[in-house]
Amino acid sequence: MLRLAAVLLWLNVGQAGAELCLDDGVPGSQRKYIQDDLGNDIPIGVIECGWASSTFLNGLIVMMIQEILGFHAVIDPRVGASGASPIYALAGCADFDNAKEKNCGSETKIHVSVDSWSGTHAAAQQTFAKQNPTVAAEDLGSMGYAGEESMYVSQEILHAAYSDAGLALDFYKSYNTTHHDPKKYFDSIHDVDISELALCSETVMSHPNRMGNYARFSGDLDGVERQADGTFIAKCANHRWWYAPACRSNASTCIPVFTGGDGWKLQAMMQWSTAYGIPAAIAISAGWSLFVKHVQLHRALHYWWVPDATFIDMLPEQLIFARHSPNEWLEGDKKTGGQGSYVSKMVSKNLQWKAGRVREFVSSINFELPEVQSLLLEVQQSGSSYNVSCKWMRENRARWSAWKPVETNCYEGFGLFDAAGSLEDRYVESREGLSDLLCRACPPGSSSEKLEDSQGTTFICRRCPAGRSQVSGASLSCDLCPLGEYQDETGSISCKRCGFGEYQNATGQSSCTRCPAGTTTLGFRAQSINDCGCKEETINVLPAASGNFECQRCGEGLRCPFGSSVEMLRQGSADLGDDYLPQVVKGYVSRLEEPLQIFKCRPASFCSGGKPGECAGGLSSMPCASCEEGKTWSGTKCEDCGANVVAWALAMPVAVAGLIGAYSFVNSEVMARASAFQASLMAAGIAVNVFQSLAIFGMMTVQWTPNFESTSSRLSVFVMDIELLGLTCVTGPENFLRFLSAASAFPAASLVLVTCWAFTTGWNTIFKRSKLQVTPWRFYKTANTMGVILQVGFGALAALALQPLMCYRHPNGQYSLLKYPDTICGSDEHKAMLGVGIALLIVYVVGFFVYCCFGAWKLPSWSSQERKDLVRAFLFLISKFRLDVWWFGLLLLIRGLGFSLAIVLAMDSPQLQVAVASIIMSVYLFFLTFARPWKAPLINVADIALCNILILLVNQAVHPSSAVDLQFVDHFSAVMVVLLITILVMTVMLCILALVLGRLFGRGDFLLNLAREGGEREKIAAALKECAQELLAVEEKDLAQDLGLMNIYDLKALKAAISAVFVDVLEISSSALAPRVALSSTRNTIRAIAASEQVAAAVQQVPPVHRASEADPSTGSVGEGAT
């Protein structure tokens, strides 16, 4: 019947589109569309639900919207299944009846619903509105009546009982079997086809909560069954009928009661039957059509609701029960009468600004329940919803006219709009003298304000003033600009954010306030002066409590993010988090009482950074340079001295014994050809030289990578930095004593050697021709021993002597010694150290270098004069090199001294230090590659490779551009250091292997010479003999002429070969080359030096075209026979 009514409504609405019900109704051609969010024309959508009152009333609303208000309107083809349907349909949910997924989110095409039983779904409506406040449907109030659902009895039964016995069966007490016999007016339950009834197990009769409430509040435990889990279900006869206590013992006395669905109102009907002695047998029809059939076919009580037309022709009456108790129903006790359900008018949220007049009209609609029931009965009797609706509209003009809003009586959110006005100013603030006025939703940037005039109350749209804004349309007020924002224009939809360096601590302002000088804000929208802070790289030196700012530049060694203050720096915490915490950078330190006086630490790892006054590993003083009294630096932290004092006491006699042993060790015979033992000493010397270079590199003021800094620190002992050996345990933490102890090492060693020479000489003089005589120390051997020690340690000696001159600058402007940072340059302690250093520099650095230069200059003449002891005193300078480049030892001294001078001369220019060190290494490499001075080719190759690696290493000191580069450079430096050590180890191992093979098989030199000799000796001897015979046949003049045509490099090689043949093969000298000398290896060395000089004189006879290239006799051939 309901669906038939819906079809008829559709047909009648279609007729209404062609014919007008009202004589003055708005025809279809003049009706207006509303626009969706994309600007497309759409009609106003109306949704009906699946009951007669909803179908009729929503159809009536469509007719009134069309003919009275002049809008296009349609009934949506989808029918709501329950009172909850309009809640979701009006919000734009496409599948509004889907229990699982309603697909909300699209703009709704449904705008109006009346006769909405939303009261039974109030909780769902509230939850949805809370979750979706911008689209939730708007409830416009009650329809004017409440929906009622209860137990009903037909008019036929009522009339029969009243006529027969004066019994009013619409009153609950009339069913009490103690005084009455109501059963005779009803059919027997046995007349009902039991197959048409639903099983109790499939309905609310098996609902644990509902049946549990029934058992608890009724006390009827015989009417329920307790389940294994303690819950209850209804006890049903034949699995379908539930008998009330009044007829449970005799089912034939039961009155049939029908309900539908899954058991509509079941618990209440069960409680009414039990509480008031009604002999009811309650069953649930198996479907809607069977429910209608059962009610219409049988004389029975039944469930029904109004307004509805299903049983309206039976004129049923609702049973009257005891007055409704809201509290009891809230607890689940339903023995009192039911309460009417709220029936509302609802519209979509956007209807207010899409068709405000329609919304206003719907909100005014009001019907009474008897009126609705009468109209439904009329529809059922006439069969035409359209005719009934049209009749009502014609007969109730005065009534609906009152619902119709006045055209210019705008309501909240809207304002007067002049349709004929200019585009710039169509929203007006008065309706006097204007005829084309409409009500339009106020646009964004304005608000709706009430206006009282001679025509009554209306609303106007007024532009938002400065300091306010409104982003939404149809708004009742403009919002104050919030904290941190402002607006200096009128009619704005949003406020402007305060920019960087501005704040606003009040609402509704038209401008922002500038932060104090030197400060800014972290971002936009700052809300108070507390959001202002010193700019990045500056710090506030005033206390925060003062509310003032004095921002100073932080400078080197201090990380100052936005908002830094001295208080934060001291406390080590910031309100904005660690990213905005000022900190002392790692490698720098300051005192807690003077946190901005920054000191730079050497090495950087001694200062961990962070809060002022924090040092690594328990270091003290400023800047984190030394341990406390009784402790020594272990490399990672300060530790107790322990046995270090005893170790130093034992080390002294061991050192003296080592010096005495060195006298015999370094004065062994020197061969023109490098032996495996000599090559081993050369390799050891190169290793010491490399380690000294790495240690001196670490003293530079550049930023090294962590790996290299750690390696350099461990090698610092090679430049007399013996702090890691616990020196402070002997000297204490005083820097002067520490420096004096290190500086005394070389003079003490010299004193020991001279003392031994003087003692043996004096002893033997005293005990001349006595058995008490000892092996005398020769002065030239003593001098050579001292030379070896000073030559090996020259780099360390130079670095040590120059330490008092290595003053580096702190960020606070003070200067400290590089080695002793807690000694301030210019202090008394520094002056004392400077005196010691200068004395060491003059005597042992400059003096030794001048001594070596003098020896290198005089050696040729001393050799030719056979002043053997003088030559032997300088063997340390020449014994490791080929004799045609005997001067190369001076370059080694210059290299070691140059590194230290680079640090002194460019202390505050790290990159210049790197550049100078690179130049020194490059010049050394040039001469090394050109001259190949070492007697053993293996040592030459190793030295060249090591020199190249050192150049690469020293150039890794330049600051990398990013963290990724830093990681790469750190790894690269580590690889280079490993490569250095690998080359040194391999070189030493090859020398040792050559020594072993030489002792065992007499053949090991091929490893030192890189396999360049062997069976070639006999061939060379034969070639020399043949060459000598051929040369005898050539005139000297012709020979000189032919030599003039040779390449300059070939002439040099020839000169070196002639020198080697005369000195080392023939052991003679010619008038043109050299005098005769003795045959001992030492004298051969002397002789070769003299021969080299005389070869240079002989070559002067070569034609002048080549003479300029031969002026330097020291640039001998790289050929191997030059030794």
Side-chain angles (χ1 to χ4, degrees), residues 395-517:
E395 293 176 351
N396 293 274
R397 179 178 289 272
R399 188 172 172 189
W400 57 254
S401 294
W403 299 345
K404 183 180 178 182
V406 177
E407 193 75 22
T408 59
N409 277 357
C410 305
Y411 53 91
E412 289 182 339
F414 286 71
L416 295 172
F417 180 82
D418 185 5
S422 63
L423 293 176
E424 294 79 12
D425 195 18
R426 287 193 172 186
Y427 286 93
V428 297
E429 298 185 2
S430 172
R431 48 186 169 183
E432 299 297 331
L434 299 174
S435 58
D436 294 329
L437 289 178
L438 302 172
C439 287
R440 289 281 180 88
C442 292
S446 65
S447 64
S448 179
E449 295 185 8
K450 183 184 289 188
L451 174 66
E452 301 282 354
D453 60 11
S454 59
Q455 301 181 43
T457 301
T458 188
F459 283 83
I460 60 174
C461 297
R462 181 159 289 168
R463 292 168 62 86
C464 294
R468 294 173 178 259
S469 68
Q470 181 51 257
V471 68
S472 302
S475 298
L476 305 182
S477 65
C478 292
D479 299 328
L480 292 172
C481 288
L483 299 179
E485 297 186 12
Y486 75 101
Q487 183 51 262
D488 54 358
E489 300 176 359
T490 61
S492 300
I493 64 173
S494 64
C495 294
K496 301 175 182 177
R497 300 177 299 176
C498 292
F500 281 100
E502 298 177 334
Y503 69 93
Q504 182 48 259
N505 57 358
T507 59
Q509 300 302 305
S510 58
S511 63
C512 294
T513 305
R514 297 290 303 176
C515 288

Side-chain angles (χ1 to χ4, degrees), residues 585-589 599-609 614-617 619-627 633-637 694-716 721 723-724 738 808 810 816-822:
V585 178
K586 184 177 181 180
Y588 296 84
V589 71
F599 291 87
K600 188 174 184 178
C601 299
R602 296 293 305 176
S605 58
F606 279 15
C607 296
S608 55
E614 292 188 350
C615 297
L619 290 166
S620 58
S621 75
M622 190 58 57
C624 302
S626 59
C627 298
W633 182 250
S634 67
T636 56
K637 61 181 179 179
L694 292 176
I696 294 174
F697 289 167
M699 295 169 61
M700 294 180 178
T701 56
V702 298
Q703 182 67 43
W704 293 106
T705 62
N707 274 328
F708 185 83
E709 185 175 287
S710 175
T711 301
S712 175
S713 176
R714 292 189 181 95
L715 296 175
S716 59
D721 184 357
E723 303 295 332
L724 292 179
R738 292 160 61 191
Y808 73 98
H810 293 291
S816 285
L817 285 182
L818 188 65
K819 171 59 184 170
Y820 306 100
D822 50 345

Side-chain angles (χ1 to χ4, degrees), residues 70-71 148 277 289 300 481 546 580 727 867 898:
F71 285 90
E148 298 177 1
S289 60
C481 288
S546 69
Y580 298 94
L727 177 64
R867 301 179 67 175

Side-chain angles (χ1 to χ4, degrees), residues 781-829:
K781 288 186 177 182
T782 303
N784 184 57
T785 304
M786 291 175 59
V788 169
I789 294 172
L790 292 177
Q791 184 188 42
V792 171
F794 189 76
L797 189 60
L800 185 63
L802 293 172
Q803 278 182 6
L805 298 175
M806 296 180 182
C807 290
Y808 73 98
R809 188 179 186 275
H810 293 291
N812 60 18
Q814 297 186 40
Y815 286 83
S816 285
L817 285 182
L818 188 65
K819 171 59 184 170
Y820 306 100
D822 50 345
T823 295
I824 301 300
C825 293
S827 64
D828 292 340
E829 185 178 42

Side-chain angles (χ1 to χ4, degrees), residues 55-73:
T55 301
F56 173 75
L57 291 173
N58 281 291
L60 176 60
I61 289 297
V62 168
M63 291 179 64
M64 289 192 287
I65 292 174
Q66 290 177 329
E67 295 195 27
I68 298 173
L69 300 179
F71 285 90
H72 289 284

